[in-house]
Amino acid sequence: MAEQSVTNGWLSASDRARLSTLLEQPASNSDAREHWKYSSLKEARLTLKKAAEPTGTTPEGINGLPEALLADSVFCPVTCEALLDMKDVDYRRIDTDGETVSLQCSDATTPVILEITAGGSATVIDESTSASQWIIVLVRRDANLSFHRLRANSEDHEWSKLQFVIEDNAQVSVRSFASGARFRRHDLSVDLIGAHARFEFIGASCSSDKSHVDLQAHVRHHAPNTQSTQRWHAIGLDRSTQNFRGRIYIGANCPGVAADLNNRNLSLGEGVTINTKPELEIYSDDVRCAHGATVGQLDETALFYLRSRGIDPEAARRMITRAFAAGTLATLS
């Protein structure tokens, strides 16, 4: 098979032209500018490697995959670059009900495609350690998925993209934790395309020294009576940076949607930088949405209370910090 047909045969000429424009001129696109407002696009591109030799696996025969690969490309020039250089997909299908899967992603130019078959259930543990990862999970109707990921390695640069396409009555629960790195960027993309689909994302991050953590979460409701929950707690120390942007989109003719987003941040140093931006974009009536963000420091009253009980100051700070993270970390086990 010719390399061109493997690399871009499934992309139309107009798609290739659009992706090339977004890749070459991301600053001209307002959505891309906002998506990369607090992170270095140059550092994210350092994670991408030269694509592996093609093996012939292409997206055309996997239902919903071409659409998932193109989703969010308007926001992410790194995605465009990986798409245009893509020569293969690592496709895996889970048929066994209740299976636990350990997942490894080699590089973003070879996305891992995981399909949870209709009515099935699975637990996935993402153990990828490469500098760039791109994982797409297709959750078919009536399926149930529990997804866990930990990002605590010491890579200088890391960009990862995690996508879910969720069909009718399917449920997805994600638990995530990330520590700081010189550059750590995580893009989360979710499309609830079937009625009564449900998505839950709960996680936490901690950064110190001059490390950087950036989470960009985009959850899109395309069907009625769908539900989503996002809860992210971040702790920043020293001169580190924590970035969060959570976006909820509700399309037209989607009554009965319930969506909730909450981002809480704890600053433990004078040099800490915290940027947070929750967003709502709604085009349908009869929906219930809530979003909020907080940035704060340790409660002096609580510190005084603990110290008055004979607890030394450092131990008191640790106790309050652990309590702040406990709402998310307790669910990661």
Side-chain angles (χ1 to χ4, degrees), residues 180-237:
R182 178 179 174 183
F183 175 86
R184 174 161 283 132
R185 162 82 176 218
H186 176 37
D187 288 340
L188 173 68
S189 172
V190 181
D191 288 286
L192 296 104
I193 63 172
H196 301 283
R198 298 179 63 182
F199 174 77
E200 179 185 63
F201 175 76
I202 297 177
S205 63
C206 183
S207 59
S208 59
D209 298 324
K210 296 181 181 180
S211 63
H212 175 106
V213 179
D214 189 336
L215 170 64
Q216 302 282 319
H218 289 246
V219 177
R220 293 176 290 266
H221 294 257
H222 304 287
N225 301 304
T226 50
Q227 297 182 37
S228 68
T229 300
Q230 300 175 65
R231 190 168 72 211
W232 184 256
H233 289 191
I235 301 172
L237 298 86

Side-chain angles (χ1 to χ4, degrees), residues 38-40 151-153 156 158 160 176-187 203-216 232-237 239-245 263 265 273-276:
Y38 301 114
S39 282
S40 168
R151 288 290 178 269
N153 55 19
D156 282 343
E158 181 186 280
S160 63
S176 178
F177 175 80
S179 62
R182 178 179 174 183
F183 175 86
R184 174 161 283 132
R185 162 82 176 218
H186 176 37
D187 288 340
S205 63
C206 183
S207 59
S208 59
D209 298 324
K210 296 181 181 180
S211 63
H212 175 106
V213 179
D214 189 336
L215 170 64
Q216 302 282 319
W232 184 256
H233 289 191
I235 301 172
L237 298 86
R239 298 176 60 190
S240 64
T241 299
Q242 289 276 356
N243 300 322
F244 174 83
R245 182 188 181 207
N263 173 227
N265 300 276
T273 298
I274 295 177
N275 302 300
T276 178

Side-chain angles (χ1 to χ4, degrees), residues 6-248:
V6 175
T7 306
N8 282 325
W10 63 278
L11 286 173
S12 67
S14 60
D15 283 334
R16 287 196 295 271
R18 179 175 64 87
L19 293 172
S20 297
T21 300
L22 290 169
L23 175 62
E24 295 166 3
Q25 299 177 331
S28 65
N29 184 286
S30 59
D31 290 321
R33 285 200 307 270
E34 185 66 23
H35 199 48
W36 288 89
K37 188 173 182 178
Y38 301 114
S39 282
S40 168
L41 182 57
K42 180 179 179 181
E43 290 198 80
R45 282 176 171 162
L46 291 176
T47 66
L48 294 179
K49 301 177 182 178
K50 181 179 175 61
E53 289 301 312
T55 63
T57 304
T58 54
E60 296 97 323
I62 305 173
N63 182 34
L65 180 53
E67 294 82 359
L69 285 165
L70 285 167
D72 266 358
S73 60
V74 67
F75 299 110
C76 192
V78 181
T79 300
C80 298
E81 192 165 352
L83 267 172
L84 290 170
D85 199 31
M86 191 187 76
K87 297 184 179 179
D88 194 10
V89 296
D90 181 0
Y91 171 64
R92 311 174 194 184
R93 180 173 175 173
I94 297 180
D95 291 306
T96 305
D97 194 32
E99 185 175 355
T100 298
V101 177
S102 177
L103 200 60
Q104 288 280 354
C105 185
S106 60
D107 183 67
T109 54
T110 304
V112 170
I113 314 302
L114 189 64
E115 182 177 9
I116 314 299
T117 57
S121 66
T123 297
V124 175
I125 301 173
D126 176 17
E127 297 180 329
S128 303
T129 58
S130 58
S132 70
Q133 304 101 35
W134 187 359
I135 299 169
I136 299 175
V137 188
L138 306 173
V139 188
R140 302 307 185 190
R141 62 182 306 128
D142 301 311
N144 194 314
L145 171 66
S146 178
F147 192 99
H148 302 261
R149 65 168 12 193
L150 172 66
R151 288 290 178 269
N153 55 19
S154 57
E155 290 281 357
D156 282 343
H157 298 82
E158 181 186 280
W159 173 71
S160 63
K161 183 164 188 174
L162 178 61
Q163 286 186 253
F164 294 93
V165 178
I166 309 173
E167 296 184 351
D168 304 69
N169 297 302
Q171 300 185 41
V172 175
S173 176
V174 179
R175 300 294 184 269
S176 178
F177 175 80
S179 62
R182 178 179 174 183
F183 175 86
R184 174 161 283 132
R185 162 82 176 218
H186 176 37
D187 288 340
L188 173 68
S189 172
V190 181
D191 288 286
L192 296 104
I193 63 172
H196 301 283
R198 298 179 63 182
F199 174 77
E200 179 185 63
F201 175 76
I202 297 177
S205 63
C206 183
S207 59
S208 59
D209 298 324
K210 296 181 181 180
S211 63
H212 175 106
V213 179
D214 189 336
L215 170 64
Q216 302 282 319
H218 289 246
V219 177
R220 293 176 290 266
H221 294 257
H222 304 287
N225 301 304
T226 50
Q227 297 182 37
S228 68
T229 300
Q230 300 175 65
R231 190 168 72 211
W232 184 256
H233 289 191
I235 301 172
L237 298 86
D238 307 320
R239 298 176 60 190
S240 64
T241 299
Q242 289 276 356
N243 300 322
F244 174 83
R245 182 188 181 207
R247 180 172 178 266
I248 297 172

Side-chain angles (χ1 to χ4, degrees), residues 276-287:
T276 178
K277 188 179 182 185
E279 299 178 358
L280 291 177
E281 188 174 351
I282 302 172
Y283 297 96
S284 186
D285 296 325
D286 190 22
V287 300

